[in-house]
Each structure stands twice: as C-alpha cells, then as structure tokens.
Amino acid sequence: MTGVVGIVLVSHSAQVAAAVADLARRLAGSGDGVPVAAAGGTADGGLGTSADSTARAAREVDRGAGVAVLVDIGSAVLTVKALLAEGDELPEGTRLVDAPFVEGAVAAVVTASAGADLDAVVAAAEEAYGYRKV
C-alpha cells in the first residue's frame, strides 16, 4: 500500500467527533497532511451512529494506505463491525481500532503524520491504553 493512513473518528455526537478530530490534528502539529474525518451523530442531528456517514468518512480519507477507525462506545463499535462484515462498504484496508477515543486518536494522527503504515498507526493508538495519568 502507498499513500498516508486515513483516520475516521466515530462518535455518538457530531460535536465530540469533530472536536477530537480537531484536537488530534492540532496536537500532531504536522498532522495537516493526515486525512481525518469525523463521523458523529445521526442524519437528523441526534445522538447515535450512522453507517452511511461512517462509510462516507472512510471513503473520504482513503489514500491507499489503509483507514484506521476509532470509535467511542457501544453502537459505534457495532456499526463499524457490521460495515466490515458486509465487505464492500468500507475501503480495502479499513481496520477497527481497539483504543481509547481521545488518546488513541491523537496517537494515530501523530503516527500517521510521521508516514507510518497502518499496522504502526493501529499499534500506536492501541498503546494509548497504557498512558498513565497518575
């Protein structure tokens, strides 16, 4: 695969997804070259997740190096798993990442901005579970 890894942030809230995407880009500094898309809320602006907006976001950030999808809670996980099971809704090389939403997003964008491949981006996001705060 060539290109840069794309990142999709799926949240039950459009505002949360957009804010985490903005935070990750800003903290990455050089993350401007990393395609990051927020897929939050339902089509009518409510809380929930949308398979359509998630699939659209994944296609939007796909640059040929894979897409890392981070999710917040519950049905966001189920939505992405269902899309992956369908097989043709998400770009080839799309992976659901088991990581904390905020810390994982920052780690994923920082790592992708360094030119890392999908495996390294996923590993960095998953390692965020180990970040100790006290």
Side-chain angles (χ1 to χ4, degrees), residues 86-108:
E86 289 177 22
D88 62 350
E89 294 295 315
L90 298 174
E92 184 178 339
T94 298
R95 301 231 319 251
L96 174 60
V97 182
D98 183 15
F101 194 61
V102 175
E103 295 91 335
V106 171

Side-chain angles (χ1 to χ4, degrees), residues 11-15 40-49:
S11 173
H12 283 68
S13 164
Q15 294 84 2
T42 60
D44 63 359
L47 292 177
T49 57

Side-chain angles (χ1 to χ4, degrees), residues 36-131:
V36 180
T42 60
D44 63 359
L47 292 177
T49 57
S50 163
D52 289 339
S53 66
T54 300
R56 186 171 37 257
R59 289 189 300 271
E60 177 184 309
V61 302
D62 181 24
R63 301 293 186 276
V67 176
V69 181
L70 287 87
V71 297
D72 60 4
I73 56 175
S75 67
V77 176
L78 298 176
T79 297
V80 176
K81 283 184 174 182
L83 287 168
L84 288 167
E86 289 177 22
D88 62 350
E89 294 295 315
L90 298 174
E92 184 178 339
T94 298
R95 301 231 319 251
L96 174 60
V97 182
D98 183 15
F101 194 61
V102 175
E103 295 91 335
V106 171
V109 174
V110 167
T111 304
S113 72
D117 66 11
L118 181 60
D119 288 337
V121 169
V122 169
E126 290 176 345
E127 286 174 11
Y129 272 125
Y131 296 168

